[in-house]
Amino acid sequence: MRLFVRLLSALIGLALAAAGVLLALEVGWGWWRPGRGPLFLPWDDWRDRLAELSWKSDEVRYLAIAVAVVGLLLILASASAGRRAIRLTDPANEVSVTTSPRSLARLVGVTVRAQDNVAGAKVTATAKKIRVRATSRLETEGELRPRLLETVSGLLDDVPLVRRPKVSVVVDSPKDRR
Protein backbone atom coordinates (compact mmCIF):
# COMPACT_ATOMS: atom_id res chain seq x y z
CA MET A 1 0.00 0.00 0.00
CA ARG A 2 2.90 2.35 0.68
CA LEU A 3 4.03 1.91 -2.93
CA PHE A 4 0.53 2.80 -4.15
CA VAL A 5 0.47 5.98 -2.04
CA ARG A 6 3.94 6.98 -3.24
CA LEU A 7 3.04 6.45 -6.90
CA LEU A 8 -0.26 8.26 -6.47
CA SER A 9 1.49 11.20 -4.79
CA ALA A 10 3.98 11.42 -7.63
CA LEU A 11 1.21 11.29 -10.27
CA ILE A 12 -0.84 13.97 -8.51
CA GLY A 13 2.27 16.14 -8.20
CA LEU A 14 3.06 15.74 -11.90
CA ALA A 15 -0.54 16.54 -12.84
CA LEU A 16 -0.48 19.70 -10.72
CA ALA A 17 2.86 20.73 -12.23
CA ALA A 18 1.51 20.21 -15.75
CA ALA A 19 -1.61 22.22 -14.91
CA GLY A 20 0.61 25.01 -13.56
CA VAL A 21 2.70 25.05 -16.72
CA LEU A 22 -0.44 25.16 -18.90
CA LEU A 23 -1.86 28.00 -16.82
CA ALA A 24 1.40 29.97 -17.08
CA LEU A 25 1.52 29.45 -20.86
CA GLU A 26 -2.12 30.50 -21.27
CA VAL A 27 -1.66 33.63 -19.13
CA GLY A 28 1.54 34.54 -20.98
CA TRP A 29 -0.22 34.04 -24.32
CA GLY A 30 -3.15 36.16 -23.18
CA TRP A 31 -0.85 39.01 -22.16
CA TRP A 32 1.30 38.81 -25.28
CA ARG A 33 -1.57 38.47 -27.80
CA PRO A 34 -4.77 39.75 -26.17
CA GLY A 35 -7.94 39.09 -28.13
CA ARG A 36 -6.46 36.21 -30.14
CA GLY A 37 -8.14 33.45 -28.14
CA PRO A 38 -6.61 30.71 -26.04
CA LEU A 39 -3.36 28.94 -26.83
CA PHE A 40 -4.21 25.30 -25.96
CA LEU A 41 -7.36 25.11 -23.86
CA PRO A 42 -10.82 26.48 -24.75
CA TRP A 43 -11.17 28.74 -21.67
CA ASP A 44 -13.92 30.85 -23.20
CA ASP A 45 -16.14 27.83 -23.90
CA TRP A 46 -15.56 26.52 -20.39
CA ARG A 47 -16.39 29.92 -18.87
CA ASP A 48 -19.64 30.09 -20.85
CA ARG A 49 -20.61 26.55 -19.82
CA LEU A 50 -19.84 27.25 -16.15
CA ALA A 51 -21.90 30.45 -16.29
CA GLU A 52 -24.94 28.33 -17.23
CA LEU A 53 -24.56 26.10 -14.13
CA SER A 54 -25.86 26.91 -10.67
CA TRP A 55 -24.95 25.43 -7.31
CA LYS A 56 -28.27 23.55 -7.32
CA SER A 57 -27.76 21.81 -10.67
CA ASP A 58 -27.34 18.03 -10.75
CA GLU A 59 -23.92 18.14 -12.45
CA VAL A 60 -22.45 20.21 -9.62
CA ARG A 61 -23.93 17.92 -6.97
CA TYR A 62 -22.65 14.76 -8.67
CA LEU A 63 -19.20 16.27 -9.08
CA ALA A 64 -19.15 17.27 -5.39
CA ILE A 65 -20.14 13.74 -4.36
CA ALA A 66 -17.47 12.23 -6.63
CA VAL A 67 -14.79 14.56 -5.24
CA ALA A 68 -15.83 13.69 -1.66
CA VAL A 69 -15.71 9.93 -2.37
CA VAL A 70 -12.30 10.17 -4.05
CA GLY A 71 -11.04 12.27 -1.14
CA LEU A 72 -12.23 9.68 1.38
CA LEU A 73 -10.60 6.89 -0.62
CA LEU A 74 -7.31 8.82 -0.68
CA ILE A 75 -7.51 9.39 3.07
CA LEU A 76 -8.16 5.68 3.68
CA ALA A 77 -5.30 4.67 1.37
CA SER A 78 -2.83 6.98 3.08
CA ALA A 79 -4.00 5.96 6.56
CA SER A 80 -3.56 2.27 5.80
CA ALA A 81 -0.08 2.81 4.35
CA GLY A 82 1.46 3.35 7.76
CA ARG A 83 4.67 1.78 8.88
CA ARG A 84 4.30 -1.87 9.83
CA ALA A 85 6.46 -2.00 12.93
CA ILE A 86 6.81 -5.09 15.11
CA ARG A 87 6.70 -4.23 18.80
CA LEU A 88 9.32 -5.52 21.18
CA THR A 89 9.00 -5.58 24.97
CA ASP A 90 9.67 -2.21 26.52
CA PRO A 91 12.91 -1.98 28.56
CA ALA A 92 11.51 0.86 30.71
CA ASN A 93 8.17 2.54 31.33
CA GLU A 94 8.70 5.51 29.00
CA VAL A 95 10.65 3.67 26.31
CA SER A 96 9.05 1.79 23.44
CA VAL A 97 11.02 -0.41 21.09
CA THR A 98 10.02 -1.60 17.62
CA THR A 99 11.71 -3.34 14.75
CA SER A 100 10.84 -3.60 11.10
CA PRO A 101 9.58 -6.79 9.47
CA ARG A 102 12.60 -6.68 7.18
CA SER A 103 15.01 -6.70 10.15
CA LEU A 104 13.24 -9.66 11.74
CA ALA A 105 13.27 -11.50 8.41
CA ARG A 106 17.00 -10.85 8.02
CA LEU A 107 17.69 -12.14 11.53
CA VAL A 108 15.70 -15.32 10.91
CA GLY A 109 17.25 -15.71 7.43
CA VAL A 110 20.82 -15.48 8.72
CA THR A 111 20.05 -18.05 11.43
CA VAL A 112 18.39 -20.46 8.99
CA ARG A 113 21.14 -20.15 6.38
CA ALA A 114 23.75 -20.93 9.07
CA GLN A 115 22.22 -24.38 9.65
CA ASP A 116 23.83 -27.50 8.20
CA ASN A 117 22.63 -28.67 4.77
CA VAL A 118 20.72 -25.44 4.01
CA ALA A 119 21.68 -24.15 0.58
CA GLY A 120 19.55 -21.01 0.76
CA ALA A 121 16.52 -19.49 2.39
CA LYS A 122 13.91 -16.88 1.63
CA VAL A 123 12.20 -15.35 4.67
CA THR A 124 9.25 -13.00 4.93
CA ALA A 125 8.07 -11.65 8.25
CA THR A 126 5.11 -9.73 9.59
CA ALA A 127 3.96 -9.13 13.14
CA LYS A 128 1.67 -12.16 12.85
CA LYS A 129 3.59 -14.68 10.75
CA ILE A 130 7.09 -15.65 9.68
CA ARG A 131 7.43 -17.71 6.50
CA VAL A 132 10.65 -19.56 5.78
CA ARG A 133 11.29 -21.23 2.43
CA ALA A 134 14.59 -23.10 2.62
CA THR A 135 16.39 -25.14 -0.03
CA SER A 136 18.53 -28.17 0.65
CA ARG A 137 20.33 -30.56 -1.65
CA LEU A 138 21.27 -33.14 0.95
CA GLU A 139 18.23 -33.53 3.22
CA THR A 140 14.55 -34.09 2.60
CA GLU A 141 11.80 -31.87 3.96
CA GLY A 142 10.92 -34.43 6.60
CA GLU A 143 14.50 -34.40 7.91
CA LEU A 144 15.22 -30.68 7.76
CA ARG A 145 11.87 -29.03 8.52
CA PRO A 146 11.63 -30.02 12.23
CA ARG A 147 15.18 -28.86 12.87
CA LEU A 148 14.52 -25.50 11.19
CA LEU A 149 11.27 -25.06 13.12
CA GLU A 150 13.14 -25.71 16.35
CA THR A 151 15.91 -23.29 15.36
CA VAL A 152 13.50 -20.48 14.47
CA SER A 153 11.46 -21.11 17.64
CA GLY A 154 14.63 -20.92 19.74
CA LEU A 155 15.59 -17.68 18.04
CA LEU A 156 12.15 -16.19 18.68
CA ASP A 157 12.50 -17.16 22.35
CA ASP A 158 15.62 -14.98 22.50
CA VAL A 159 14.04 -11.99 20.69
CA PRO A 160 11.87 -9.98 23.12
CA LEU A 161 8.73 -9.83 20.98
CA VAL A 162 5.47 -8.65 22.54
CA ARG A 163 3.47 -11.16 20.46
CA ARG A 164 5.04 -14.32 19.15
CA PRO A 165 4.33 -14.76 15.43
CA LYS A 166 3.35 -18.09 13.88
CA VAL A 167 6.16 -19.82 12.03
CA SER A 168 5.81 -21.80 8.83
CA VAL A 169 8.73 -23.60 7.23
CA VAL A 170 8.81 -25.15 3.77
CA VAL A 171 11.85 -27.00 2.47
CA ASP A 172 12.53 -27.49 -1.23
CA SER A 173 14.75 -30.47 -1.80
CA PRO A 174 15.65 -32.41 -4.95
CA LYS A 175 15.60 -35.58 -2.83
CA ASP A 176 11.83 -35.12 -2.34
CA ARG A 177 11.24 -35.07 -6.11
CA ARG A 178 12.71 -38.51 -6.75
Side-chain angles (χ1 to χ4, degrees):
M1 187 59 76
R2 292 179 78 184
L3 177 66
F4 173 71
V5 171
R6 288 179 181 174
L7 289 174
L8 189 62
S9 298
L11 289 175
I12 290 173
L14 288 172
L16 288 175
V21 167
L22 272 176
L23 180 65
L25 287 173
E26 289 288 343
V27 168
W29 179 260
W31 283 346
W32 186 46
R33 304 266 180 155
R36 286 268 182 132
L39 181 62
F40 295 115
L41 303 173
W43 298 104
D44 297 333
D45 297 339
W46 291 356
R47 184 188 61 225
D48 295 340
R49 174 67 180 124
L50 289 175
E52 296 172 3
L53 295 176
S54 72
W55 288 106
K56 294 181 180 181
S57 66
D58 289 338
E59 293 92 356
V60 173
R61 288 183 183 174
Y62 295 145
L63 181 64
I65 291 170
V67 168
V69 168
V70 169
L72 286 174
L73 290 175
L74 289 175
I75 288 172
L76 288 174
S78 64
S80 67
R83 186 176 157 95
R84 305 283 188 234
I86 299 173
R87 289 194 41 110
L88 301 174
T89 56
D90 299 335
N93 287 339
E94 297 179 4
V95 178
S96 64
V97 182
T98 61
T99 187
S100 68
R102 181 180 290 178
S103 296
L104 183 60
R106 284 182 184 163
L107 179 65
V108 171
V110 167
T111 305
V112 167
R113 287 181 200 98
Q115 297 300 306
D116 292 335
N117 298 328
V118 174
K122 179 181 173 187
V123 180
T124 57
T126 63
K128 295 181 181 180
K129 188 165 188 168
I130 296 175
R131 292 184 184 107
V132 178
R133 185 169 202 88
T135 56
S136 174
R137 291 186 180 93
L138 302 175
E139 290 187 50
T140 63
E141 183 173 11
E143 297 168 347
L144 187 59
R145 185 175 180 273
R147 188 164 44 102
L148 291 181
L149 273 172
E150 182 182 327
T151 301
V152 174
S153 295
L155 174 67
L156 292 179
D157 289 338
D158 295 339
V159 177
L161 295 170
V162 171
R163 288 182 43 198
R164 186 182 179 98
K166 293 179 183 178
V167 178
S168 70
V169 175
V170 176
V171 176
D172 292 329
S173 174
K175 290 184 91 177
D176 288 333
R177 293 185 199 128
R178 292 180 190 168

